[in-house]
Amino acid sequence: MTHIIEKVRNGVDTEQMFGTLDAINADPSLGAFQFRVSNEWVDGAHNRSTMQRFYGAGHEDDSRTEPFTIEAGEPAVLLGHDTGANPAEALLHALAACLTTTLVYVAAARGVRLTSVESTLEGDMDVRGCLGLSDDYRNGFDRIRVSFRIEGDAPPEKLRQIVARAQARSAVYDMVTHGVPTEVEVTTG
Amino acid sequence: MTHIIEKVRNGVDTEQMFGTLDAINADPSLGAFQFRVSNEWVDGAHNRSTMQRFYGAGHEDDSRTEPFTIEAGEPAVLLGHDTGANPAEALLHALAACLTTTLVYVAAARGVRLTSVESTLEGDMDVRGCLGLSDDYRNGFDRIRVSFRIEGDAPPEKLRQIVARAQARSAVYDMVTHGVPTEVEVTTG
């Protein structure tokens, strides 16, 4: 009898995944990562970020041969020219992407084959805060609502547990819900 | 004598800016905004967000004729195929973009002409947190460092005050440093 082992599930190489977990357990220094972004102002609300190198798994990672680029902008009503998603939308993207990737990895680890994952996110803000018109409103979103629609070869309860585990382990969900100590330094030219 | 009024500064229409502030002061209901993102899983760590419509200034805004798209991915060492910046990098982009746009608007309002704004951001995390290997580490960044280099026709102290004001009013800086109440609902197919 031949036992067929499914190595790639949901597009995730589970053998590599468990190998990575074993390697970090064996040498915890491999767990230290640093991600970086460079941003350049273009004009008005238009600016552009690039991401390429990072540190992780014990070395400076230069495997990306080209940088990624994300453009930022604002719509006309917020004084921009729609040169890209605005920063608040970019934050919602970061949240959606991290929850999605995390749940896809969790499902792969748990042997669940997913067929579809979609999400919609909404963030409410009163711009009287960030425009400096009223101290009664915070600058950012008052709240964020995330709605997932997930399909796969597992009962609904198991699919819900996978999303719950993703909430418990997502890096960006942690940051967006709990905040991060942030320091800003300025050099003037 | 002719008095020349500079209407556009740093790419920002200051007349429109002060008009917007006056309009919201006169009718505070115009300050309510809702931003939205839809995300779709592609495969593995690859997923894609789109942003188009939003609510703001008293109506559903459909002025964007095409959606913006941001792709997410992970590098090989994190089990992906580099299909886009990863979610943690996307969060740093959101932060960089919002601080930059906010300071450009503040400078425009204060009559300061900027010639260059660049920033680099670093976020440190130990992935033993988000990988579920250790409860001693949070899932997200322990801390974020933002370094701005800003040039313009104002003394260094005034340029620093502009960055400080941006920190005090940036929507994403507020969210990333303080967190946002977030609810997640799940529908299974």
Side-chain angles (χ1 to χ4, degrees):
Chain A
M1 256 182 74
T2 308
H3 190 72
I4 308 224
I5 296 177
E6 186 188 43
K7 200 183 153 213
V8 175
R9 191 181 296 120
N10 303 330
V12 181
D13 184 327
T14 54
E15 204 168 276
Q16 187 199 348
M17 176 161 53
F18 293 118
T20 299
L21 297 177
D22 288 345
I24 296 175
N25 263 330
D27 178 0
S29 75
L30 299 178
F33 275 69
Q34 181 183 83
F35 294 107
R36 305 165 193 148
V37 163
S38 295
N39 183 280
E40 186 177 16
W41 174 51
V42 181
D43 194 33
H46 185 199
N47 60 74
R48 178 183 298 127
S49 290
T50 54
M51 308 79 170
Q52 185 165 10
R53 293 173 70 133
F54 61 94
Y55 180 89
H59 69 283
E60 182 71 16
D61 193 299
D62 59 0
S63 62
R64 293 168 171 171
T65 54
E66 296 285 335
F68 297 114
T69 300
I70 304 179
E71 308 279 339
E74 292 288 353
V77 70
L78 293 172
L79 312 171
H81 299 283
D82 262 334
T83 51
N86 81 6
E89 292 170 319
L91 180 124
L92 293 178
H93 158 68
L95 179 58
C98 196
L99 283 169
T100 298
T101 297
T102 307
L103 79 82
V104 166
Y105 283 16
V106 168
R110 295 184 177 186
V112 172
R113 182 182 300 279
L114 299 173
T115 50
S116 169
V117 183
E118 294 175 357
S119 56
T120 57
L121 291 83
E122 298 174 346
D124 300 320
M125 69 168 70
D126 194 306
V127 296
R128 281 179 284 173
C130 60
L131 295 180
L133 294 174
S134 170
D135 288 330
D136 294 340
Y137 302 91
R138 68 178 294 179
N139 301 323
F141 292 136
D142 300 318
R143 56 186 224 152
I144 295 172
R145 283 176 302 281
V146 182
S147 301
F148 270 101
R149 179 167 190 86
I150 172 171
E151 296 180 8
D153 68 357
E157 191 48 36
K158 190 158 187 176
L159 295 174
R160 289 177 185 280
Q161 286 165 0
I162 288 169
V163 178
R165 178 68 178 171
Q167 282 178 255
R169 285 300 175 193
S170 157
V172 175
Y173 185 79
D174 170 31
M175 294 191 274
V176 167
T177 56
H178 294 116
V180 184
T182 301
E183 56 192 73
V184 178
E185 67 164 39
V186 182
T187 305
T188 57
Chain B
M1 258 181 70
T2 308
H3 190 71
I4 307 221
I5 295 177
E6 185 187 43
K7 197 181 155 214
V8 176
R9 189 182 299 120
N10 303 328
V12 181
D13 185 327
T14 54
E15 204 168 277
Q16 187 198 348
M17 176 162 54
F18 292 118
T20 299
L21 297 176
D22 288 345
I24 296 175
N25 263 329
D27 179 0
S29 76
L30 299 178
F33 276 68
Q34 181 182 83
F35 294 107
R36 305 163 192 148
V37 163
S38 294
N39 183 280
E40 185 176 17
W41 174 52
V42 181
D43 194 33
H46 186 197
N47 62 72
R48 180 182 298 126
S49 291
T50 53
M51 308 76 170
Q52 186 166 10
R53 293 173 69 133
F54 61 93
Y55 180 88
H59 69 284
E60 183 71 16
D61 191 301
D62 59 0
S63 62
R64 293 168 171 171
T65 54
E66 296 285 335
F68 297 114
T69 301
I70 304 179
E71 308 279 339
E74 291 288 355
V77 70
L78 293 172
L79 312 170
H81 300 282
D82 261 334
T83 51
N86 82 5
E89 292 170 318
L91 179 124
L92 293 179
H93 158 68
L95 179 58
C98 196
L99 282 170
T100 299
T101 297
T102 307
L103 79 82
V104 166
Y105 284 16
V106 168
R110 293 183 179 186
V112 172
R113 181 182 301 279
L114 300 173
T115 50
S116 169
V117 182
E118 294 175 357
S119 57
T120 58
L121 291 84
E122 299 173 345
D124 300 319
M125 69 168 70
D126 194 307
V127 296
R128 281 179 286 174
C130 60
L131 295 179
L133 295 175
S134 169
D135 287 331
D136 294 340
Y137 303 91
R138 67 178 294 179
N139 301 324
F141 292 136
D142 301 318
R143 55 186 223 150
I144 296 173
R145 283 176 301 281
V146 182
S147 299
F148 269 102
R149 180 167 189 86
I150 173 172
E151 297 179 9
D153 68 357
E157 191 47 36
K158 190 157 188 178
L159 295 174
R160 289 177 185 280
Q161 286 165 0
I162 287 169
V163 178
R165 177 67 177 173
Q167 281 179 255
R169 284 301 174 195
S170 156
V172 175
Y173 185 79
D174 169 31
M175 294 191 274
V176 167
T177 56
H178 295 116
V180 184
T182 300
E183 58 192 72
V184 178
E185 67 166 37
V186 182
T187 306
T188 57

